[in-house]
Structures are given as C-alpha cells and as structure tokens.
Amino acid sequence: MTTLPLTYSPEVATALKAGGPVVALESTIITHGMPYPQNVETAQMVEADVRAAGATPATIAILNGVLHIGLTDAQLTELAQATDVMKVSRADMPVCIAKGATGATTVAATMIAAHMAGISVFATGGIGGVHRGAQETFDISADLLELGETPVTVVAAGPKAILDIPKTLEVLETHGVPVIAYGQDALPAFWSRESGITAPLRLDDPALIAKSAKTRAAMGLKGGQLVANPIPLADEITRDIIMPYVEQVLAEAEAQGIAAKAVTPFLLQRMFELTEGRSLVANIALVRNNARLAAQIAVAYTL
C-alpha cells in the first residue's frame, strides 16, 4: 500500500506478522492534549487497556522524520517530554517526514498511517469537526474528510463539545461516513454521554461493528466508520454543567485570536482550570473506554 519506509515496534511487528488484532492510537493526546506526566501515564494505561482486551496497541508518531507504528516505553516517555513537536494532519504529514522533524499525529494522520500499516481499528478521544461559525471561517477539521476517504474504524467519544455538532453530522453524511452510537440511541459529545441529538445509527455488539467494516470493504465503498462510544456514566460531566464552561472558553479563544489547531490545546487547558481538574479525569476515562472497545472490535475483526 505504500513505498514509504515504516518503522514498527517489535510488539506491533510480531502481532501484524501473525495476523493478530492491533489497535492504532494517536499521539497528539500525548503532546498537545495533556500535561506531563499525566500524558505518558495515560498513554501507558491506554496501551495496557488494549492489551488486557486481547489486542496489541500501536501508538503512532513521527520521530525525527521516521513514521513509527508502535512506540517503545522509552519513546513514549521521550515524546511526552519533547518540545516543538509538530501537530500533523494530512496536509503537513509529508512535510514533517521530509524535513526530519518530530510530529504527533491527529485523527486524520493516524488514520493514514494505520491504513498504510494494515491496521483497521483506531481509538482516540474525540474527533474534530465543523467549528462554530464555519459558514464564515470555513473551519472544518480534516478528520471528517479522512473518514470519508480512509478505510479505518475510528472509536471516539463523539464529536468534541466545542463543535457545531449538527453541521459535523451533515458533513459526515455527505461523505458517506456511518456514524454509529455504541449501546445507546443518543450521540455522545466527548465529556457528556448525550449531545441532545439522536445518532444516525446504533450497534450494541463489537462483532457487528467489525462486520459492518468488512461489509463496506466487500462492497467496494471507500472511507471508514465512526463509532461514537459514550463516556462511562460514573465519569461523565453532563451537558448542563460542561456547556457554560465551553461557551466561556470559546469566547476567550475568539477574544484572543486563537483558532485552527491551537483551539483544542487551549480549550483543554482552560477546561482543566475551570473544572478544577475534573475535565482531565473525564478525558482520561473516555480515552481508556474507547481503547477497550476498539480492542474488542479489532479482536472480532480477525475472527
């Protein structure tokens, strides 16, 4: 599928050679989503969750211009403390590699790398989407277009709460992307189990989610599918509590001229401050929850 050299961790190389289940994991959550040392501790917990569910974790990142499919513990720790790490998506991923830089992969870039490596399932926190005011700014995440192009099943806790969720769903529908709520009718929205919107589709069985992906491939349909997995009930921050903070932070970002890729890191830091750390606890819980479900899907995919 690619002529670009890929570097596999020993664990991932062994799993892929044996045809075993593998789950791709992004790296922007390590470099741009959480402070040190919570970032590396979370990355290690997420990888452990994947292993406990019977699959092999493959954290993806670009280290000194080399695309790595799976990182060692030493590489995870090094990345967690690195500075001047590029946040790479489809547009800048080749540039990062060409100039020998270090880059953390977003949803779109992780999907690309996973597909290049032959990995069909990917776990993340939340996906990007259509930002509010996009009718003026045209600020739409590359994640949505990648879901319409690249055949990877993405498990996320729904669209991020800062987004225009109805417009995000419309773009996904236009690109033929199945949006599947897992275990409930409501579409989750990152920190909250419900967004106030009913999901277009619902499946309650990881095996059916895997079968759906295989069916798309058998039909010759391009693109992946989005599995919206609600945050565990005990860890959620309900919309009535979280949305006033979101509105405040978005207003602060606009006032300070913060836009595009800088919005999410700013949002996460300010939400951490405003919720006195509760948002970070929820963020960690939802990522781990997504990793566990992704591993179950990956296991079913190999059967």
Side-chain angles (χ1 to χ4, degrees), residues 60-172:
I60 293 173
I62 300 167
L63 304 179
N64 300 316
V66 177
L67 182 54
H68 285 257
I69 311 297
L71 300 179
T72 64
D73 280 340
Q75 288 170 331
L76 270 178
T77 301
E78 182 181 349
L79 184 64
Q81 299 179 75
T83 57
D84 296 324
V85 177
M86 291 179 65
K87 184 179 180 182
V88 297
S89 190
R90 170 176 279 264
D92 36 26
M93 193 176 184
V95 174
C96 180
I97 294 171
K99 72 177 190 176
T102 292
T105 54
T106 60
V107 168
T110 306
M111 288 182 71
I112 292 168
H115 181 52
M116 289 168 61
I119 300 171
S120 300
V121 184
F122 161 39
T124 185
I127 62 159
V130 180
H131 284 263
R132 299 187 198 186
Q135 64 272 19
E136 299 293 334
T137 64
F138 291 88
D139 191 352
I140 301 174
S141 172
D143 296 353
L144 304 187
L145 278 67
E146 205 61 53
L147 276 160
E149 290 288 334
T150 304
V152 173
T153 294
V154 179
V155 181
K160 293 171 183 172
I162 61 172
L163 301 170
D164 186 322
I165 295 178
K167 287 187 176 65
T168 297
L169 286 177
E170 289 294 338
V171 171
L172 287 169

Side-chain angles (χ1 to χ4, degrees), residues 18 51 65 80-81 107 111-112 119 126 132 145 172 182-183 194 198-200 209 212 220-221 225 227 252 258 287:
R51 294 186 187 100
Q81 299 179 75
V107 168
M111 288 182 71
I112 292 168
I119 300 171
R132 299 187 198 186
L145 278 67
L172 287 169
Y182 178 68
E194 299 192 11
T198 300
I209 296 171
S212 172
L221 298 176
Q225 53 183 13
V227 179
E252 291 176 1
I258 298 170
V287 172

Side-chain angles (χ1 to χ4, degrees), residues 184-202:
Q184 64 179 39
D185 293 325
L187 181 74
F190 203 61
W191 292 297
S192 307
R193 291 177 61 85
E194 299 192 11
S195 62
I197 299 170
T198 300
L201 298 164
R202 170 179 174 170

